[in-house]
Amino acid sequence: MISQIKRNLDNANSKLLTVIQSPMGTYISFATALLIALFLYTVHLTSDLYGDERGHTYNVVAMGSFWSNIKDPSMCHPPLYFMLAKLSYEMTGKPWGMRIPSVIFTIGTVILVSFAAQKVLGRRFSLLATWLAAFSPFLIEFSAEGRAYAMLIFFSVAMLWSFVTFLQSENIRNMLILAGISICGALTHYFFWFQLAFLGIYYLIVRKRMSRYAWGTLAIVAIVLLPFAYILFMIQNAQFTEHLQVSWSKEYFSVPNFIARLAVALSYGYCTFNLPSLDPARNFTFQMLRYNWILVSLTIVTFAGFSYAWIS
């Protein structure tokens, strides 16, 4: 009787896998992941603004002259997200309208992750990556927040996809796509500039030379971004540094602690930390890693998998 039950379960499992792996099953599963993501990302869309949403984004988008705010050193961020937030705010007439670009780009991230996983890891990982992205705490956390991080995540995934595509086939089309995504990402958040530097170094290590298409990509990106950098560091004399909470950073910032929490935060979101006595936005002592040992273990496994997939 037990053997019969086992055979029935095996047959049912085989049929289920056949359905899931069929084209129709794949489309249904993909669409279901997107619908779930859409629900998770919009459930708090119209709630009140909080924190930096009101203290910074709303002030830039809705208070005074928008273009004067964009040029002010206290802006402290590239302008692309704020331009889209301004547009969506005027379309809705509501403060929460500033969050619409974040929702759009997080949904876009879930879709794009599928193609990036297929490009980097292979077709069989595409659907799994889509579901993991849909439930990503990091995406859920920033999906309905009026700040630039959702766009940063999208362009980071797009950068990976376009960079791998460029490595596989260097041509004008892929060069223009890579350059365009690089520019959009750099105009979304300064963190993206570090990604550009890392991928540039990686390219040199792999290729050991610069092709004409690589030089073309660099030229296009430089033509757009160098004037932007000139305005920040020469015309404005880097005045934005005066608005970066330097006193707060000196009190709480520690490079080892920052590195210790960064991997967990990027993988699972700040909201996943078990920090009973500290603001999650601040650094914590290494003792806090003991309280978050499950997340730390998962992070190590995740990054080991990423590293293996990237190298192999």
Side-chain angles (χ1 to χ4, degrees):
M1 182 176 180
I2 294 177
S3 60
Q4 181 63 37
I5 293 175
K6 185 176 182 301
R7 283 195 297 270
N8 291 338
L9 290 175
D10 289 340
N11 291 334
N13 183 57
S14 178
K15 292 179 181 178
L16 180 61
L17 287 175
T18 301
V19 172
I20 293 176
Q21 293 174 354
S22 67
M24 181 58 68
T26 299
Y27 294 144
I28 292 174
S29 181
F30 184 79
T32 302
L34 288 183
L35 289 175
I36 292 174
L38 184 63
F39 169 76
L40 293 174
Y41 299 167
T42 58
V43 66
H44 297 298
L45 177 64
T46 59
S47 61
D48 292 337
L49 302 183
Y50 64 95
D52 283 346
E53 284 187 303
R54 183 168 294 280
H56 187 224
T57 307
Y58 184 78
N59 288 341
V60 172
V61 169
M63 307 297 289
S65 171
F66 174 72
W67 295 110
S68 295
N69 294 339
I70 286 290
K71 294 183 290 184
D72 195 285
S74 63
M75 168 71 166
C76 299
H77 292 284
L80 185 55
Y81 163 75
F82 293 89
M83 294 168 68
L84 296 179
K86 174 68 173 178
L87 177 63
S88 60
Y89 169 72
E90 291 186 342
M91 289 176 61
T92 60
K94 303 290 185 180
W96 57 261
M98 304 183 311
R99 297 169 172 166
I100 292 177
S102 294
V103 173
I104 293 174
F105 277 95
T106 42
I107 293 295
T109 299
V110 175
I111 297 173
L112 191 57
V113 159
S114 175
F115 294 97
Q118 182 173 329
K119 175 69 67 173
V120 178
L121 301 176
R123 186 178 181 84
R124 67 184 184 279
F125 292 100
S126 176
L127 197 57
L128 174 61
T130 303
W131 278 91
L132 289 175
F135 286 101
S136 167
F138 200 76
L139 285 179
I140 293 172
E141 184 167 349
F142 293 110
S143 59
E145 185 164 303
R147 295 199 289 170
Y149 296 112
M151 282 180 62
L152 173 65
I153 297 169
F154 173 84
F155 285 119
S156 296
V157 176
M159 184 68 177
L160 175 63
W161 168 78
S162 62
F163 181 71
V164 172
T165 302
F166 181 77
L167 284 179
Q168 292 176 347
S169 178
E170 296 192 26
N171 53 50
I172 293 179
R173 175 181 175 274
N174 291 336
M175 178 190 75
L176 294 176
I177 292 174
L178 180 61
I181 291 173
S182 299
I183 292 169
C184 290
L187 293 179
T188 297
H189 204 288
Y190 294 125
F191 286 167
F192 195 87
W193 295 50
F194 295 103
Q195 297 182 46
L196 294 178
F198 171 80
L199 291 180
I201 294 172
Y202 180 86
Y203 178 88
L204 290 175
I205 293 174
V206 173
R207 288 287 195 262
K208 297 181 175 59
R209 63 180 181 84
M210 291 277 288
S211 70
R212 59 177 177 172
Y213 297 109
W215 281 114
T217 303
L218 179 61
I220 295 171
V221 173
I223 288 172
V224 175
L225 297 184
L226 284 180
F228 184 73
Y230 177 77
I231 293 173
L232 286 176
F233 295 102
M234 301 300 293
I235 296 179
Q236 294 185 354
N237 294 318
Q239 295 179 49
F240 66 90
T241 58
E242 300 174 5
H243 304 275
L244 294 179
Q245 298 180 316
V246 176
S247 59
W248 177 89
S249 299
K250 288 181 179 179
E251 181 179 356
Y252 291 101
F253 185 74
S254 164
V255 173
N257 285 338
F258 176 78
I259 294 174
R261 79 182 178 109
L262 184 62
V264 175
L266 292 178
S267 299
Y268 303 106
Y270 293 103
C271 59
T272 58
F273 278 122
N274 177 22
L275 301 176
S277 60
L278 292 176
D279 183 339
R282 296 178 175 176
N283 284 277
F284 53 83
T285 63
F286 283 107
Q287 185 180 12
M288 283 296 174
L289 295 179
R290 179 166 58 88
Y291 299 133
N292 294 271
W293 67 269
I294 295 179
L295 289 177
V296 173
S297 302
L298 290 173
T299 301
I300 292 173
V301 172
T302 300
F303 274 76
F306 287 160
S307 301
Y308 175 78
W310 186 266
I311 293 172
S312 60

